[in-house]
C-alpha cells in the first residue's frame, strides 16, 4: 500500500515538473508554434493529437489564423509527449486557464484528430460534431486529410522525377540512334 501511494505521488510530481511555461511568439502553421522559454530560448512545438491542413492546402491558412487567434502572444503551459520525425517537440498546449489547444482546433473544425498518435476518443467525437455542423474545413465537399495531401504531393513529385529521368533517357537514346 505504501508503495502504491509513493508511486502515485512520484507520478503526480513528475507531471508537475514536466510542465513548462512560455510565451507563443510565432505560429508556423495550424499545428506548429514557436514558444519563448525562460532564458530567451525558442522551442518549436508540434501540437499533440491533431493534424491541421498544410499551408498550401485548402483551409491551411484558416487553421493557422485560428491557432494564432487562440494563443499568439499568450503565456501557455505545455507538456512534452516526445519528438516527431523532424526532431520537433510534440506537446499538449494549454492556455486561458484550462483550454487544450488541440481540442479547440478539432472542435472548431480546423484540424483532424490525429488518431495514429492519439487514444483520446473525445477528439474523435468533437471531430464528428464539427463535421456534422460543417465547421471549418468540414464545409468543404471533399476535405482531404493532411496525411493524404502530403502523400499525394510526394507521389506527384516522384512521378515528375521519373518523367524527367525517362525523358532524359529517351533523349540520350535518340541521340545515339541519330549518330
Amino acid at each position: 500500500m505504501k508503495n502504491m501511494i509513493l508511486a502515485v505521488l512520484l507520478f503526480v510530481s513528475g507531471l508537475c515538473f514536466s510542465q513548462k511555461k512560455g510565451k507563443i511568439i510565432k505560429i508556423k502553421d495550424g499545428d506548429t508554434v514557436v514558444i519563448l522559454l525562460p532564458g530567451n530560448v525558442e522551442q518549436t512545438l508540434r501540437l499533440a493529437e491533431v493534424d491541421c491542413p498544410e499551408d498550401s492546402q485548402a483551409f491551411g491558412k484558416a487553421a493557422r489564423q485560428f491557432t494564432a487567434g487562440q494563443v499568439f502572444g499568450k503565456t501557455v503551459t505545455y507538456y512534452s509527449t516526445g519528438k516527431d520525425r523532424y526532431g520537433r517537440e510534440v506537446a499538449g498546449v494549454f492556455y486561458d486557464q484550462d483550454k487544450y489547444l488541440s481540442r479547440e482546433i478539432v472542435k472548431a473544425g480546423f484540424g483532424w484528430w490525429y488518431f495514429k498518435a492519439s487514444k483520446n476518443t473525445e477528439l474523435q467525437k468533437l471531430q464528428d460534431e464539427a463535421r456534422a455542423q460543417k465547421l471549418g474545413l468540414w464545409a468543404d465537399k471533399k476535405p482531404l486529410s493532411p496525411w493524404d495531401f502530403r502523400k499525394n504531393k510526394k507521389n506527384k513529385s516522384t512521378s515528375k522525377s521519373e518523367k524527367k529521368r525517362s525523358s532524359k533517357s529517351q533523349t540520350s537514346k535518340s541521340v545515339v540512334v541519330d549518330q
Side-chain angles (χ1 to χ4, degrees), residues 90-132:
V90 178
V93 174
F94 294 85
Y95 65 105
D96 292 348
Q97 303 297 342
D98 62 350
K99 287 185 177 179
Y100 178 41
L101 183 54
S102 297
R103 180 185 190 279
E104 298 302 317
I105 291 169
V106 171
K107 182 179 171 184
F110 288 108
W112 273 258
W113 168 51
Y114 198 46
F115 62 89
K116 295 176 185 177
S118 169
K119 303 220 184 302
N120 185 346
T121 56
E122 179 200 9
L123 294 178
Q124 180 182 15
K125 291 174 188 166
L126 291 170
Q127 177 177 292
D128 293 344
E129 290 171 15
R131 176 181 254 157

Side-chain angles (χ1 to χ4, degrees), residues 138-153:
W138 301 112
D140 197 340
K141 289 180 181 170
K142 291 186 178 182
L144 182 64
S145 68
W147 51 88
D148 286 334
F149 178 82
R150 291 186 292 267
K151 184 178 174 184
N152 290 347
K153 193 173 177 182

Side-chain angles (χ1 to χ4, degrees), residues 38-51:
N40 284 334
V41 175
E42 291 183 17
Q43 175 74 50
T44 298
L45 302 178
R46 168 66 171 82
L47 301 179
E49 302 186 300
V50 67
D51 200 0

